[in-house]
Amino acid sequence: NAGVMQNPRHLVRRRGQEARLRCSPMKGHSHVYWYRQLPEEGLKFMVYLQKENIIDESGMPKERFSAEFPKEGPSILRIQQVVRGDSAAYFCASSPSETTSGNTIYFGEGSWLTVV
Amino acid sequence: QKEVEQNSGPLSVPEGAIASLNCTYSDRGSQSFFWYRQYSGKSPELIMFIYSNGDKEDGRFTAQLNKASQYVSLLIRDSQPSDSATYLCAVIGLTGGGNKLTFGTGTQLKVEL
């Protein structure tokens, strides 16, 4: 977990508001992955990004969700018009390059979103 | 059929016993296999990875992979109460790019005194 920074750690939003979750990868890592974990469930892949590019967004809901990883600054997962079903833990992971060595993937501590 | 399947448990074992956790996967071309431990309210922690058929041992943990049967397992010897957690099996397949992990729903392990 060391090095992948996520904030905020806990976020409460009312229905209809926007949630922005930020992830700073480990130093030297240019690949970022977002996962969502609903209560009592496993992690579900959402999106894979490299700097300024979305590589795989096959796990992203079609509406209200977007992600970016700009040239400068953290990766951001944005959820518009949140609903109660968006309440979950959102984990970010980073890796240094595109390899199949998953042992180089490091997870952040997660951001817990609660929609009231 | 789910891509990665695990029994949700809970699996209860007495302290000092061997805990056996199982996982099956559907993508026959899957390359890499991982076991993560997750404590409640925490992020996943990688404890084992395996790429080749057979056994891989690391301390009290042994990962076993059988690609022909599309089966991967984790054995925890001399189980301790601190091992009580949810164990997530994850796979990197051929589809998609990079290190996209596909997770099972996890097996809850309870080690009882």
Side-chain angles (χ1 to χ4, degrees), chain A residues 3-101:
Chain A
V4 181
M5 304 300 295
Q6 289 189 247
N7 68 84
R9 293 293 313 281
H10 298 276
L11 181 64
V12 179
R13 283 288 178 265
R14 297 185 184 278
R15 283 177 293 169
Q17 291 185 319
E18 178 179 289
R20 286 195 178 208
L21 309 177
R22 289 175 291 278
C23 170
S24 296
M26 284 186 69
K27 186 176 181 181
H29 287 193
S30 58
H31 297 239
V32 166
Y33 309 79
W34 285 95
Y35 291 82
R36 176 168 66 174
Q37 187 172 35
L38 295 169
E40 308 302 323
E41 293 189 13
L43 281 79
K44 300 290 187 186
F45 168 80
M46 300 182 74
V47 63
Y48 162 40
L49 312 101
Q50 296 178 25
K51 286 283 188 181
E52 300 184 280
N53 284 305
I54 296 175
I55 306 303
D56 181 350
E57 57 181 347
S58 58
M60 287 282 270
K62 293 291 185 288
E63 298 177 346
R64 302 187 298 107
F65 284 72
S66 62
E68 63 176 2
F69 189 16
K71 185 177 181 180
E72 300 292 337
S75 175
I76 296 174
L77 180 66
R78 181 184 180 199
I79 311 171
Q80 295 178 290
Q81 300 175 325
V82 295
V83 300
R84 286 202 172 130
D86 296 332
S87 296
Y90 293 83
F91 291 99
C92 171
S94 72
S95 67
S97 63
E98 181 174 339
T99 70
T100 55
S101 297

Side-chain angles (χ1 to χ4, degrees), chain B:
Chain B
Q1 181 187 9
K2 292 183 180 179
E3 293 182 70
V4 180
E5 294 206 50
Q6 298 179 254
N7 287 325
S8 61
L11 172 66
S12 294
V13 300
E15 185 179 6
I18 296 175
S20 178
L21 303 161
N22 304 314
C23 172
T24 58
Y25 59 94
S26 60
D27 182 355
R28 185 168 289 278
S30 295
Q31 306 275 344
S32 312
F33 308 86
F34 307 88
W35 284 99
Y36 285 82
R37 177 175 62 199
Q38 187 176 30
Y39 294 110
S40 180
K42 301 294 185 182
S43 62
E45 174 192 9
L46 179 66
I47 53 173
M48 288 288 288
F49 62 91
I50 186 167
Y51 305 142
S52 303
N53 277 329
D55 294 0
K56 179 181 178 182
E57 186 174 320
D58 184 1
R60 295 187 296 114
F61 300 99
T62 299
Q64 299 174 317
L65 174 62
N66 184 326
K67 288 187 177 181
S69 300
Q70 294 175 240
Y71 175 93
V72 58
S73 66
L74 179 69
L75 301 177
I76 306 174
R77 289 180 297 281
D78 188 23
S79 296
Q80 302 297 310
S82 58
D83 295 327
S84 298
T86 297
Y87 289 80
L88 301 168
C89 173
V91 172
I92 291 179
L94 285 179
T95 57
N99 293 308
K100 174 184 172 181
L101 291 161
T102 300
F103 284 87
T105 54
T107 298
Q108 186 182 5
L109 173 66
K110 293 185 177 179
V111 180
E112 300 169 332
L113 295 171

